[in-house]
Amino acid sequence: MEYFWYVVAALGAGIGTGLAGLSAATVMVPILIVLCPSFSGEYGAYQATAIALASDILGSAVTSTVYAKNKRIDLKHGWVMMACIIALSTVGSYAAYLVGNVVLGGFTLFLTFCIGIRFLIKPDTSRTGADSSNVRLGVKEIIISVFFGLTIGFGTGFVGTGGGMMMLVVFTAFLGYDLKTAVGTSTFIMTFTALIGFISHSVIHPAIVLERWNVLLVCIITATAASLISAQFANRVNNKTVGRVTGVILTVLGAAMIYLNYFA
């Protein structure tokens, strides 16, 4: 039965990545720690985050490839954040290993629900008339990029996310990206941050690769396929449709996981 939930978790993770550049951990970690008994141990949540990061690697890569073909990647204003995120991801991985299940599990459950509500309230995150090509990366933008880059980088390692949701917010709210360009750029960055995060988790806790290789294989293949299909869909519809679909999926999933974990 656990394999069924592995597939469900990976499908949800891939769809979230392709549609809105969400990290696999947003969907995958809550499902694994709540519905899969084998992840209920002392380091279950840590292993779940590592599997989510592994799924993010190829999932983000194929997603960013689709967006790149549609000219939806802009690193001209994102390179500072990318550098900061990579620098702090390893530190976050070690911190996550120290705190264990309680913090990681509860955090990801409520994060999923809150992100879903956020998309339902505002499905299109881009600013009216915003054009990233006209936004100069000045001192203010560099400060914003450094601050959020360091924060997101730590979260990448700590929570097992690629930082996609936070990058999406920063790119659209502060750097003038439209939603699809923000998704394309964030998934490109996530390809590298997820790789670094997964390697860090695996070095710190080798059992992830040695004992969970079967789960890794199922989740990586499923999430990558789902990311490719959903990214192609996202590039054919408008921003509001993408936001609403993502909001519904995450809100329902988050509410269900919170209920099962705390009230069932």
Side-chain angles (χ1 to χ4, degrees):
M1 186 63 186
E2 281 203 14
Y3 277 92
F4 170 77
W5 293 118
Y6 298 158
V7 173
V8 171
L11 281 173
I15 291 171
T17 299
L19 284 180
L22 301 181
S23 168
T26 307
V27 177
M28 189 175 292
V29 173
I31 292 178
L32 293 181
I33 64 177
V34 173
L35 299 177
C36 299
S38 66
F39 284 90
S40 61
E42 181 180 1
Y43 294 110
Y46 191 78
Q47 292 178 347
T49 59
I51 292 169
L53 284 166
S55 302
D56 258 337
I57 298 170
L58 286 180
S60 296
V62 298
T63 296
S64 61
T65 299
V66 173
Y67 281 86
K69 289 180 178 178
N70 289 276
K71 298 181 179 179
R72 294 291 188 177
I73 292 182
D74 177 10
L75 288 177
K76 181 180 179 181
H77 305 94
W79 67 270
V80 174
M81 277 186 59
M82 181 176 179
C84 293
I85 290 170
I86 291 174
L88 263 289
S89 60
T90 304
V91 177
S93 293
Y94 184 70
Y97 181 76
L98 297 178
V99 302
N101 267 14
V102 176
V103 174
L104 291 180
F107 183 85
T108 52
L109 291 178
F110 286 97
L111 179 64
T112 300
F113 180 75
C114 291
I115 292 175
I117 293 295
R118 191 257 183 195
F119 268 112
L120 288 177
I121 294 174
K122 190 176 181 182
D124 187 352
T125 58
S126 57
R127 295 181 295 181
T128 303
D131 182 2
S132 63
S133 63
N134 295 324
V135 178
R136 182 174 176 270
L137 192 61
V139 176
K140 178 181 177 181
E141 286 71 27
I142 291 175
I143 292 174
I144 290 171
S145 297
V146 169
F147 173 77
F148 284 107
L150 294 176
T151 304
I152 294 169
F154 183 82
T156 297
F158 186 77
V159 189
T161 71
M165 183 60 209
M166 283 300 297
M167 281 190 278
L168 191 71
V169 173
V170 175
F171 284 144
T172 56
F174 298 104
L175 299 181
Y177 285 44
D178 66 89
L179 179 60
K180 291 180 182 178
T181 301
V183 171
T185 306
S186 65
T187 52
F188 177 82
I189 296 174
M190 280 202 299
T191 303
F192 301 98
T193 57
L195 176 61
I196 293 171
F198 173 68
I199 292 174
S200 299
H201 274 63
S202 299
V203 170
I204 294 171
H205 190 58
I208 294 166
V209 176
L210 298 177
E211 300 176 7
R212 297 286 191 175
W213 62 268
N214 54 334
V215 186
L216 281 168
L217 189 61
V218 171
C219 290
I220 289 172
I221 293 174
T222 306
T224 300
S227 296
L228 178 60
I229 295 170
S230 58
Q232 291 173 336
F233 167 79
N235 277 276
R236 294 191 180 103
V237 300
N238 59 48
N239 291 345
K240 288 186 177 180
T241 300
V242 174
R244 288 193 182 104
V245 172
T246 305
V248 170
I249 292 172
L250 294 183
T251 301
V252 172
L253 174 66
M257 292 300 100
I258 290 172
Y259 174 78
L260 289 173
N261 195 47
Y262 293 103
F263 302 105

